[in-house]
Amino acid sequence: MVTNFDDTIVAVATAPGNAGIGIVRLSGSNIDEFMRQILGCELSPKQASFKRFLSHDGECIDTGIAIYFPSPESYTGECVLELQGHGGSFILDRVLQRCNELGARQARPGEFSERAFLNGKINLTQAEAVADLISSSSLEAARSAMRSLQGDFSKSVESIVSNLMETRVFVEAAIDFPEEDIDFLSDPKLLERIIGIEQCLDELVKGARSGVILHEGLSVVLTGKPNVGKSSLMNRLGKEDTAIVASEAGTTRDVIKKQVVMSGVPIQLIDTAGLRETESEVEKEGIRRAWSEIELADHILLITDSDCCCVQKLESVWPEYCARFPNRTSDVTVVVNKIDSLGCTPGVDHHSSRVRVSAKYNLGIDDLVSQIMKKTGLSNKSEGNISARRRHLSALNEAKSFVFCAKTQLSSNRSGELVAEDLKMAQRELSQITGSISSDELLSEIFSSFCVGK
Ligand SMILES: Nc1nc2c(ncn2[C@@H]2O[C@H](COP(=O)(O)OP(=O)(O)OP(=O)(O)O)[C@@H](O)[C@H]2O)c(=O)[nH]1
Ligand SMILES: [Mg+2]
């Protein structure tokens, strides 16, 4: 059902600045009147017509293509008029002002998409995918946004929701009819079914996690002792002379960041001060900042310039890190640099998973990139990736833990009520993803991050 909002909204839908074409878009209920006033006639639906855009006294402000989309066959589900004129800010402002004179209100960021959502044209994940598609900065990010926009993500979520619903009905029937001879709750099929749901959620969490990284970018910090070649490696990976490289130890003190795209994934490389005991106040501050970056990064490259042949555990290579972050040892890739002078071959060591490179002589760099992708779960950038946000990931994880509780309840004390409650909570979490259950605050938070005109 289409909700008719009282007001008509208007915005310039194209980017600011001078361009060949600029589009002003109107959406609302009295679009016929806007057509009569601005174009001097009513247009046939969904046909491009070359028209003059007129001011209140009949002056031609601009000429261009006008297209009318009647409700509900438009992006927002309301009647929409698109005026495609010349792309100059001044001209577009005049067309916009003319629309304002006739009573149209300037649209808030994302308001067209918000109306599309409220009118049931798209669900919440699709609306978010629109914003992701617009802001995507790499091929993979654009592809996964397109998959979500076409509904792949919401379909997977909806299929789990309906599976949860059927399972709940089964469990609730068992609670309501305890006198039945058959004990529904001990039917192994029920447990199998819950395990199946858990596995589907697991798959979706993986795809969503990669999606979040594609949307936000992966942060990779380069750390290690002074002079091991951190800045050289940063410059090599970033294909630019960003950080100063020098033979003296303790060259880098500030945190240096460089945005790159590697294997289609947006990555922020972070070069830091070398870790060592020092009396220098400046260097101490650099090292403190390096540790904050290590704490926040998605992945860490620990660079060394020795030990290329012996297999050692991270605990002995980097005890301080392991003591601080015992649960995050899998986030570290050990990189042995300067292999040209160590006399070993470039590539991944299969026993220790270390990567041997030479930043200076460009050896083993592709292997390092592949290893980063592998360790961060981005190497299979296959069909599974969807553009996802942190909120989706946390809802999926919450749902997963409720399903896990349901499974535990069922296999331990067979409390039907608790199993049903956990399944219900899991379903609630998932419904927030597509927006079938959503709060006003959530909606305003989501749509306010959109650009104006979308
Ligand atoms: N032989 C050889 N030398 C290298 C290699 N990579 C870096 N170097 C040299 O090692 C020295 C230190 O390099 P940097 O990149 O500044 O090292 P860093 O780890 O950033 O050092 P700090 O900023 O002082 O902590 C420089 O003289 C580099 O030219 C390599 O692959 N082989
Ligand atoms: Mg450096």
Side-chain angles (χ1 to χ4, degrees):
M1 198 196 73
V2 173
T3 314
N4 278 321
F5 294 90
D6 291 339
D7 49 354
T8 296
I9 52 172
V10 64
V12 177
T14 39
N18 293 346
I21 294 170
I23 301 176
V24 172
R25 190 193 239 177
L26 286 142
S27 177
S29 46
N30 61 342
I31 293 297
D32 296 354
E33 186 57 20
F34 284 87
M35 287 195 274
R36 278 193 296 272
Q37 296 291 334
I38 301 174
L39 308 171
C41 65
E42 283 180 30
L43 299 175
S44 313
K46 298 210 266 182
Q47 275 183 24
S49 322
F50 183 74
K51 290 282 166 200
R52 297 184 329 140
F53 307 159
L54 306 172
S55 73
H56 71 281
D57 54 8
E59 183 199 340
C60 177
I61 304 172
D62 194 8
T63 54
I65 302 291
I67 310 176
Y68 166 56
F69 300 89
S71 168
E73 296 166 63
S74 68
Y75 178 65
T76 58
E78 302 176 311
C79 292
V80 166
L81 178 65
E82 271 189 23
L83 302 171
Q84 310 184 352
H86 294 93
S89 330
F90 184 74
I91 295 285
L92 285 166
D93 263 356
R94 280 196 75 192
V95 178
L96 201 62
Q97 263 175 29
R98 175 75 175 117
C99 297
N100 293 149
E101 269 168 34
L102 293 166
R105 168 175 70 72
Q106 173 66 40
R108 292 188 304 270
E111 201 171 359
F112 289 91
S113 301
E114 188 176 1
R115 288 192 174 190
F117 165 69
L118 294 171
N119 285 328
K121 296 293 289 187
I122 49 176
N123 64 36
L124 212 43
T125 48
Q126 288 172 312
E128 289 170 311
V130 170
D132 290 349
L133 188 64
I134 293 170
S135 65
S136 57
S137 57
S138 70
L139 181 62
E140 276 313 316
R143 278 188 178 149
S144 53
M146 205 55 224
R147 276 197 283 273
S148 291
L149 183 56
Q150 286 171 339
D152 289 14
F153 185 23
S154 24
K155 273 185 217 139
S156 311
V157 174
E158 276 154 16
S159 122
I160 299 177
V161 168
S162 66
N163 207 342
L164 276 168
M165 256 191 350
E166 283 167 26
T167 315
R168 261 179 70 194
V169 169
F170 195 78
V171 175
E172 276 163 18
I175 302 168
D176 291 344
F177 305 103
E179 67 279 4
E180 295 286 318
D181 288 343
I182 315 152
D183 182 2
F184 284 114
L185 293 180
S186 50
D187 185 345
K189 284 209 188 91
L190 180 58
L191 187 63
E192 269 169 38
R193 208 177 168 135
I194 294 182
I195 292 174
I197 295 176
E198 205 183 13
Q199 284 165 348
C200 292
L201 277 170
D202 225 28
E203 278 303 303
L204 212 51
V205 164
K206 278 189 202 145
R209 190 178 295 133
S210 307
V212 169
I213 289 175
L214 288 172
H215 177 60
E216 296 180 1
L218 180 80
S219 58
V220 176
V221 69
L222 292 93
T223 183
K225 293 191 175 132
N227 224 27
V228 290
K230 300 178 294 299
S231 302
S232 306
L233 189 58
M234 152 106 157
N235 293 350
R236 178 64 68 191
L237 290 168
K239 298 190 172 74
E240 205 178 352
D241 225 358
T242 313
I244 298 174
V245 168
S247 57
E248 69 188 67
T251 309
T252 308
R253 274 112 184 269
D254 281 317
V255 170
I256 304 171
K257 298 187 177 177
K258 165 88 181 144
Q259 204 67 41
V260 295
V261 175
M262 296 191 325
S263 298
V265 178
I267 294 188
Q268 184 170 58
L269 296 171
I270 306 164
D271 185 20
T272 53
L275 305 176
R276 67 169 168 185
E277 289 297 322
T278 175
E279 289 307 309
S280 154
E281 286 304 315
V282 179
E283 205 177 341
K284 266 189 197 160
E285 176 58 20
I287 293 168
R288 193 194 61 75
R289 291 182 188 203
W291 276 107
S292 336
E293 295 298 333
I294 291 168
E295 188 174 355
L296 296 174
D298 295 312
H299 198 70
I300 297 150
L301 300 182
L302 175 70
I303 298 146
T304 78
D305 57 0
S306 60
D307 283 338
C308 83
C309 300
C310 68
V311 180
Q312 276 181 345
K313 289 201 153 222
L314 191 66
E315 282 80 356
S316 35
V317 181
W318 198 11
E320 194 176 357
Y321 174 84
C322 296
R324 286 197 196 200
F325 310 106
N327 303 326
R328 288 189 50 204
T329 50
S330 60
D331 291 346
V332 180
T333 296
V334 178
V335 182
V336 180
N337 186 32
K338 308 194 187 181
I339 54 162
D340 52 289
S341 49
L342 292 168
C344 36
T345 48
V348 181
D349 179 283
H350 293 293
H351 293 294
S352 62
S353 301
R354 292 178 190 193
V355 192
R356 299 176 185 137
V357 302
S358 168
K360 188 168 179 177
Y361 296 102
N362 196 13
L363 302 169
I365 302 300
D366 290 345
D367 299 302
L368 175 59
V369 173
S370 314
Q371 185 71 356
I372 297 172
M373 296 301 151
K374 191 171 156 196
K375 289 200 80 168
T376 50
L378 291 166
S379 52
N380 299 321
K381 292 188 271 51
S382 57
E383 299 306 299
N385 283 354
I386 33 160
S387 75
R389 309 285 179 93
R390 295 248 171 229
R391 75 168 194 95
H392 301 145
L393 196 56
S394 60
L396 288 171
N397 278 322
E398 286 290 323
K400 221 177 98 179
S401 47
F402 281 120
V403 173
F404 177 80
C405 287
K407 187 179 77 177
T408 321
Q409 291 292 350
L410 192 67
S411 34
S412 56
N413 57 17
R414 302 198 195 292
S415 158
E417 282 83 359
L418 292 177
V419 174
E421 185 59 23
D422 282 330
L423 296 177
K424 187 171 146 197
M425 294 305 283
Q427 196 186 328
R428 263 188 92 82
E429 288 294 336
L430 295 182
S431 304
Q432 288 186 14
I433 297 181
T434 52
S436 50
I437 300 179
S438 55
S439 67
D440 287 350
E441 300 96 90
L442 176 70
L443 294 186
S444 84
E445 190 190 314
I446 290 171
F447 289 106
S448 62
S449 65
F450 277 55
C451 44
V452 175
K454 193 67 222 178

